[in-house]
Amino acid sequence: VVQPLLDIRKGSCSTRSIEPEEEGADPVEQVAVVRNQHQRAGLSYLEKREYEAMEETILDAEAELGAAAEHLADPQVASDADAAHHAFLAHEESKERVAVLYRRWAELEEKA
């Protein structure tokens, strides 16, 4: 593949040949590999702040999950189909939020 190469310092344009690393290799995957190699290791400033607050955020989300579970188990709610449905949806949302937070915490742990 021939690709134009512009040298701004010299004000000239030339061409160079770019050969794929492997025969039949996906160029998108090659770019992703190169990007991953150039990314700096460690957490960014915002990720550090997120990581530091993650435990408290998870505890809050787990408390909300517990409250949603108690509400769902309430006999008054269980006897009303509409209320039970809304309580179930709230419980599922809380459960998903906790799962997302734990996945994010694992990502930050791995990156740190």
Side-chain angles (χ1 to χ4, degrees), residues 40 42-52:
R40 66 172 197 239
L43 299 174
S44 70
Y45 172 76
L46 292 177
E47 288 172 331
K48 285 179 188 174
R49 291 182 61 194
E50 180 184 10
Y51 180 73
E52 291 168 357

Side-chain angles (χ1 to χ4, degrees), residues 17-106:
S17 177
I18 300 175
E19 298 299 324
E21 291 180 13
E22 295 179 21
E23 190 70 31
D26 183 16
V28 174
E29 289 178 0
Q30 290 178 4
V31 170
V33 168
V34 170
R35 281 187 183 157
N36 286 338
Q37 290 172 351
H38 292 295
Q39 287 179 345
R40 66 172 197 239
L43 299 174
S44 70
Y45 172 76
L46 292 177
E47 288 172 331
K48 285 179 188 174
R49 291 182 61 194
E50 180 184 10
Y51 180 73
E52 291 168 357
M54 188 58 73
E55 188 173 352
E56 185 175 334
T57 304
I58 289 174
L59 289 174
D60 291 343
E62 287 178 338
E64 289 175 18
L65 178 59
E70 286 180 21
H71 184 66
L72 184 59
D74 182 5
Q76 291 283 341
V77 173
S79 63
D80 181 6
D82 192 42
H85 177 71
H86 289 294
F88 173 76
L89 292 177
H91 182 263
E92 289 298 306
E93 287 176 18
S94 295
K95 213 163 56 168
E96 179 62 26
R97 181 168 184 251
V98 169
V100 165
L101 288 170
Y102 272 112
R103 282 193 299 269
R104 179 62 179 156
W105 195 12

